[in-house]
Amino acid sequence: MAIDSLITAVQVPAPMCFATLFKMAFDGGDLKPLRDHILAQSYSDLADAAAALISLSTIEQLLGDQASGLARQRDALGLHRLYRSSWPASPDALRVLAFKAAGDVSTNTPIEFLLQGSDVVLYSLYVVPGEPLPEAPDHDIAIVTVGESDRDRPVMRQIERLIQTWPCPVLNRPDRVLQLSREGMYSLLRDVPGVIMAPTVRLNRADLERLGRGLLASDPFPGETTFPMIARPLGSHAGRGLAKLDTAGAIDAYLTERPDANFFLSPYMDYRSGDGLFRKYRLIWVDGRPYPCHMAIADQWKVWYYNADMEASPAKRAEEEQFMSVFDEGFARRHATVLAAMAERFGLEYVGVDCAEMPDGRLIVFEGDISLVVHDMDPVDLYPYKGAPTQKLFAAFYRMLKRRSL
């Protein structure tokens, strides 16, 4: 039996809370003194050393040094692959086990944000393909938190095999999560009345070059208008490499700037509102019920929350406040049939999407995953309206885990 399979609950390493570190960085705090302090410590106990390495992994990624952060993580997982939450909990706390994959801070559901205020002991179990599984401590419920990606499909296949005989309920089954690829989402939702989603294809670099020169043997979107077209590298997030290609001639210039080998392509769909602004919503389903996460309003099609300058516009924030505060009576009621159908298609206990409303009232869905960021870090003085809806979502997540564990 592997050494790490002998870990007892008392010996499980407890790194600094992921959400706490994120909040420190988000607020503009300097994480370098904390990093230096951790590095200066000597650790005679393997559990303490592993906890320090996981904390350093998060800190260094937040400082912008992803390579060093991932190296720290690899070292930590060489010592231990099971970790415990560091926040206080009662003896009767709900015990939750999260299946995780190694990777950067966007790899897994940010579950610490969802649970840090609840009476929960959270165990994080990192699954590494081909490696024996550490013995998990007693827990009441488990949840898969690994987001959809090509890279982590081997991890998800291993988790799928593991949970066939798992001793307690397991939420967010891997086979369902893997349907959330851009192509998979299109297949899931294409025939849901009231929903539109751009078809998505994968092209390697050589075929994208051929498309730009009119030499590709087949039309990537039969029956669709090819240009304008949206291109993005496989595995990219937060707008990295995302571009609107207005003509075939724009492809060569795009590829000159991008070293990537493979790309997603989809037709561009104009979703601007009547006032010329683009509005994008993040929705989260918990146990089949939708909750608002945020609303971003921008004058460009490429929208994510922090390029929308919401903090600089009282008018935008007032509109977001209206969206969030009357979500159940407004957006959710207006799209009730569509949202229920989407939840049924996903078949996941926890999942989110980024979407928008088309001028004709239909929902256009851009992407979905279980690892979309949901947090309570926004400053209260600017966003006083976010606290109650966000805490409502967090409470719903805890109640779901508690209910499903019985």
Side-chain angles (χ1 to χ4, degrees):
M1 180 178 291
I3 291 175
D4 63 354
S5 70
L6 301 176
I7 297 173
T8 67
V10 175
Q11 295 170 314
V12 176
M16 296 186 68
C17 177
F18 175 92
T20 299
L21 293 172
F22 253 78
K23 175 64 172 169
M24 291 172 62
F26 189 88
D27 288 343
D30 185 1
L31 294 176
K32 292 179 182 177
L34 177 58
R35 178 195 61 189
D36 295 342
H37 173 75
I38 296 173
L39 286 170
Q41 302 300 301
S42 62
Y43 302 97
S44 57
D45 185 275
L46 288 180
D48 289 342
L53 286 166
I54 288 291
S55 299
L56 283 171
S57 173
T58 302
I59 290 169
E60 290 181 340
Q61 289 184 69
L62 292 172
L63 288 171
D65 190 349
Q66 186 176 91
S68 179
L70 294 179
R72 302 282 188 195
Q73 185 186 75
R74 285 193 296 272
D75 291 343
L77 298 185
L79 299 174
H80 287 291
R81 287 189 286 116
L82 179 68
Y83 294 85
R84 187 183 191 274
S85 52
S86 56
W87 59 70
S90 77
D92 298 323
L94 181 69
R95 298 163 301 174
V96 179
L97 184 137
F99 290 102
K100 292 188 175 184
D104 65 33
V105 293
S106 67
T107 298
N108 303 290
T109 305
I111 192 170
E112 291 83 355
F113 279 114
L114 300 171
L115 291 178
Q116 64 175 331
S118 302
D119 189 19
V120 167
V121 176
L122 174 64
Y123 294 105
S124 296
L125 178 58
Y126 287 84
V127 176
V128 178
E131 294 292 326
L133 194 71
E135 183 177 327
D138 290 340
H139 54 283
D140 304 302
I141 193 164
I143 183 169
V144 177
T145 67
V146 184
E148 187 282 325
S149 72
D150 285 3
R151 182 198 63 199
D152 288 325
R153 284 180 177 266
V155 174
M156 295 293 259
R157 286 194 291 268
Q158 181 152 332
I159 295 173
E160 186 69 45
R161 290 192 295 270
L162 289 170
I163 65 176
Q164 300 306 314
T165 56
W166 206 253
C168 69
V170 180
L171 308 185
N172 277 6
R173 298 186 71 91
D175 60 332
R176 291 288 185 171
V177 176
L178 290 176
Q179 294 184 87
L180 301 179
S181 67
R182 294 185 186 276
E183 317 100 294
M185 286 274 288
Y186 176 70
S187 296
L188 277 180
L189 302 179
R190 62 184 300 177
D191 62 347
V192 174
V195 174
I196 58 173
M197 188 171 185
T200 300
V201 299
R202 300 181 184 217
L203 285 182
N204 60 38
R205 189 179 188 89
D207 281 342
L208 186 53
E209 289 176 346
R210 293 187 186 98
L211 177 63
R213 295 167 187 167
L215 301 175
L216 193 63
S218 59
D219 184 347
F221 307 111
E224 300 276 352
T225 301
T226 303
F227 290 95
M229 179 171 63
I230 302 299
R232 76 187 79 215
L234 257 66
S236 66
H237 298 282
R240 183 184 69 82
L242 179 66
K244 179 170 168 274
L245 306 175
D246 290 315
T247 66
I251 292 178
D252 277 347
Y254 175 71
L255 289 175
T256 298
E257 299 175 353
R258 303 302 320 166
D260 309 86
N262 296 284
F263 299 85
F264 281 123
L265 296 173
S266 58
Y268 171 73
M269 292 188 173
D270 190 347
Y271 65 98
R272 80 186 77 189
S273 303
D275 61 1
L277 296 177
F278 296 87
R279 290 166 171 82
K280 189 166 78 170
Y281 308 91
R282 176 161 293 178
L283 312 178
I284 301 293
W285 283 267
V286 178
D287 214 11
R289 178 175 176 176
Y291 294 84
C293 179
H294 65 234
M295 173 189 187
I297 307 169
D299 59 4
Q300 57 176 308
W301 67 270
K302 188 163 54 173
V303 184
W304 55 98
Y305 198 79
Y306 293 104
N307 79 338
D309 293 326
M310 299 292 288
E311 73 281 0
S313 173
K316 289 181 180 179
R317 295 197 304 276
E319 188 173 339
E320 184 184 33
E321 178 177 9
Q322 177 71 8
F323 162 69
M324 297 189 73
S325 62
V326 298
F327 178 80
D328 289 339
E329 299 79 19
F331 190 99
R333 179 173 294 174
R334 191 161 64 248
H335 299 289
T337 302
V338 168
L339 296 176
M342 291 170 66
E344 184 177 1
R345 296 289 177 95
F346 293 145
L348 291 160
E349 290 79 13
Y350 178 87
V351 63
V353 299
D354 285 342
C355 64
E357 286 183 296
M358 295 293 282
D360 64 6
R362 291 180 297 170
L363 282 187
I364 177 171
V365 177
F366 302 113
E367 63 180 332
D369 207 346
I370 64 169
S371 61
L372 297 180
V373 175
V374 180
H375 64 77
D376 59 352
M377 298 189 295
D378 291 305
V380 176
D381 58 335
L382 279 178
Y383 305 94
Y385 54 87
K386 283 192 171 183
T390 302
Q391 292 305 316
K392 183 179 178 180
L393 190 162
F394 292 173
F397 186 71
Y398 172 79
R399 288 197 304 272
M400 174 186 71
L401 295 176
K402 186 77 172 176
R403 183 172 60 252
R404 296 286 188 126
S405 70
L406 298 177

